[in-house]
Amino acid sequence: DAGVTQSPTHLIKTRGQQVTLRCSPISGHKSVSWYQQVLGQGPQFIFQYYEKEERGRGNFPDRFSARQFPNYSSELNVNALLLGDSALYLCASSLEGPRGYGYTFGSGTRLTVV
Amino acid sequence: QQQVKQSPQSLIVQKGGISIINCAYENTAFDYFPWYQQFPGKGPALLIAIRPDVSEKKEGRFTISFNKSAKQFSLHIMDSQPGDSATYFCAASKDFGNEKLTFGTGTRLTIIP
């Protein structure tokens, strides 16, 4: 079984540019979340989508946006990149249920803003 | 506001010893407490998780102890091995893990021979 797949694995962008990161969840998982992990810190929640609807948004500026497609894959967009946006961006998917099943993370996209 | 506090920041344990990592939370609405293991260049991998209706959960060499009244939980790694060297994160969530995860700051564990 394929796990959560993210693309690209690495990316270098210049300040002010825009970037799109992609995520394919585990087959059957309808919930997708995005996290930002700065070096040496724990992941910080950015967005959660369930059945193509935004369920939650973390404390990130409006430069960050996301969407989920009918096949449950997802994209994270970041506009007007800043140096501080350099981080590992993680996608996680979950098989939701009344007792929860936890999240499976992908290996992430390493974004470097120069 | 950091809702999940994790300690220690780093830990060195001899092979065969017990590794213990502690976390404390503030939000009493949390009802799902997982531990993740992360190797360099990889995403976090779920190790073990607990819900507040039990005080302890064991899976192989990994045990979570949970103290609801103190709002604390800990990860114990028995018979620690060099392959356990990684960064460990505690986390907390509501709705039995269906909502977002709030992570601790991480513990870098090193197992020495």
Side-chain angles (χ1 to χ4, degrees):
Chain A
D1 272 350
V4 177
T5 57
Q6 292 187 243
S7 62
T9 54
H10 295 84
L11 203 54
I12 299 176
K13 289 286 190 178
T14 303
R15 275 180 299 175
Q17 284 189 315
Q18 175 265 342
V19 68
T20 298
L21 312 180
R22 295 176 176 82
C23 171
S24 293
I26 291 173
S27 178
H29 286 195
K30 299 179 179 179
S31 177
V32 171
S33 294
W34 288 95
Y35 290 80
Q36 180 197 65
Q37 186 176 24
V38 173
L39 198 62
Q41 297 183 19
Q44 296 292 314
F45 171 74
I46 309 176
F47 284 106
Q48 182 185 18
Y49 278 80
Y50 178 69
E51 286 280 16
K52 293 152 281 182
E53 296 290 326
E54 182 183 304
R55 168 176 281 179
R57 171 188 285 255
N59 189 24
F60 281 80
D62 291 344
R63 299 184 295 108
F64 289 77
S65 63
R67 55 180 175 167
Q68 186 177 32
F69 298 99
N71 66 353
Y72 303 109
S73 66
S74 178
E75 286 182 352
L76 175 70
N77 295 284
V78 186
N79 294 322
L81 285 166
L82 303 174
L83 295 180
D85 295 331
S86 295
L88 180 67
Y89 288 84
L90 296 163
C91 175
S93 74
S94 173
L95 178 64
E96 289 216 357
R99 293 291 290 174
Y101 294 95
Y103 281 91
T104 300
F105 284 82
S107 292
T109 294
R110 172 70 62 185
L111 172 66
T112 303
V113 182
V114 297
Chain B
Q1 179 189 9
Q2 184 186 356
Q3 295 191 48
V4 180
K5 295 183 179 180
Q6 183 171 347
S7 63
Q9 189 173 13
S10 63
L11 182 62
I12 299 174
V13 174
Q14 208 149 24
K15 178 182 174 183
I18 302 173
S19 303
I20 302 174
I21 305 171
N22 301 298
C23 281
Y25 63 98
E26 299 169 4
N27 191 341
T28 55
F30 287 144
D31 58 12
Y32 175 76
F33 302 89
W35 284 90
Y36 284 85
Q37 178 190 57
Q38 187 175 29
F39 292 104
K42 299 293 185 182
L46 179 65
L47 263 181
I48 185 172
I50 197 168
R51 297 189 174 93
D53 51 350
V54 297
S55 60
E56 186 175 282
K57 182 174 181 180
K58 183 177 181 180
E59 290 185 0
R61 296 185 295 111
F62 300 92
T63 300
I64 298 180
S65 296
F66 186 83
N67 186 329
K68 188 175 181 178
S69 60
K71 293 189 287 186
Q72 295 175 348
F73 59 110
S74 60
L75 175 69
H76 295 232
I77 306 174
M78 312 300 287
D79 186 27
S80 299
Q81 298 297 313
D84 297 330
S85 296
T87 300
Y88 291 80
F89 292 95
C90 62
S93 175
K94 297 185 238 181
D95 191 22
F96 302 112
N98 287 320
E99 291 198 14
K100 67 176 184 179
L101 290 164
T102 299
F103 282 87
T105 49
T107 297
R108 179 174 288 185
L109 174 65
T110 304
I111 308 301
I112 57 175

